[in-house]
Amino acid sequence: MKKEEAKTLSKERTKAIIEYITQILSDSKKVTSTMNFSKAKIGNETMCTLDIFVPESNFERHLNLGITFDHHLVLYKDVLDSLLDNFLDSDSIGVTKYFSTSGARYFSGVNAVNLNGSVIGINFNTISPDFMNLVMDYTKRYNEFEESLKNKENTNIRR
């Protein structure tokens, strides 16, 4: 797979991932779910995959994203950017800062949340140096948005 092919396919897959997130978090029932990015040997190639689990509704999907793992950063960048573009300024769905945990349940990603207290842990399962550059960009945009809210709030207080 060429990088240009991966970029085109990544846009489509990211749109579908955002739709899954929106649908899961649109449920009025409180849910705690996960989306785990990974890789799997499919045919002769190592492909990017996504496993989605919503235990409360017995929903489970295992998706071959159709992007070879050598282009996983293209996909991860699109997903991180789309999370911010779609949910950072939303009234009903939000995203957290990037964080990672170690131990029995390793996590490297963000949470998507709603007003009901529902959470989707979006686990990228990596802390590679190249991925961390994407995280730095995500964090910068997140912090800039947070700062703009503080500035807006301070302006409203002074009026």
Side-chain angles (χ1 to χ4, degrees):
M1 169 175 275
K2 294 184 177 166
K3 190 169 188 173
E4 289 307 311
E5 289 175 273
K7 285 181 179 181
T8 300
L9 194 52
S10 176
K11 299 286 185 218
E12 293 173 24
R13 296 304 188 255
T14 297
K15 184 177 179 183
I17 291 165
I18 295 299
E19 286 176 20
Y20 273 113
I21 293 168
T22 302
Q23 286 183 0
I24 293 167
L25 293 178
S26 294
D27 193 336
S28 59
K29 185 169 56 173
K30 183 178 175 180
V31 298
T32 302
S33 56
T34 59
M35 291 184 150
N36 292 304
F37 286 92
S38 192
K39 61 184 176 182
K41 186 84 166 177
I42 300 172
N44 293 329
E45 298 190 273
T46 302
M47 305 299 289
C48 294
T49 61
L50 179 64
D51 297 318
I52 304 171
F53 300 100
V54 186
E56 291 85 356
S57 59
N58 291 321
F59 180 83
E60 185 174 327
R61 290 288 184 275
H62 305 281
L63 306 172
N64 172 3
L65 297 174
I67 298 170
T68 55
F69 193 72
D70 57 329
H71 297 300
H72 70 285
L73 292 175
V74 170
L75 175 66
Y76 292 1
K77 178 179 180 5
D78 282 346
V79 171
L80 287 169
D81 287 345
S82 290
L83 288 170
L84 293 173
D85 293 343
N86 287 280
F87 304 128
L88 198 57
D89 199 18
S90 170
D91 291 333
S92 58
I93 297 174
V95 291
T96 64
K97 289 185 176 182
Y98 169 86
F99 66 99
S100 62
T101 60
S102 58
R105 296 207 54 183
Y106 175 76
F107 183 90
S108 171
V110 301
N111 286 336
V113 298
N114 71 10
L115 297 173
N116 296 356
S118 292
V119 177
I120 303 172
I122 304 167
N123 190 354
F124 292 93
N125 283 309
T126 184
I127 54 169
S128 73
D130 291 333
F131 177 71
M132 294 315 291
N133 288 333
L134 299 179
V135 169
M136 286 176 22
D137 292 342
Y138 176 92
T139 302
K140 181 180 179 208
R141 280 188 63 197
Y142 193 101
N143 289 341
E144 286 170 352
F145 178 77
E146 199 172 49
E147 192 61 35
S148 74
L149 289 179
K150 288 177 187 173
N151 290 338
K152 187 177 180 181
E153 192 175 284
N154 288 338
T155 301
N156 289 339
I157 291 172
R158 286 187 224 140
R159 288 185 181 184

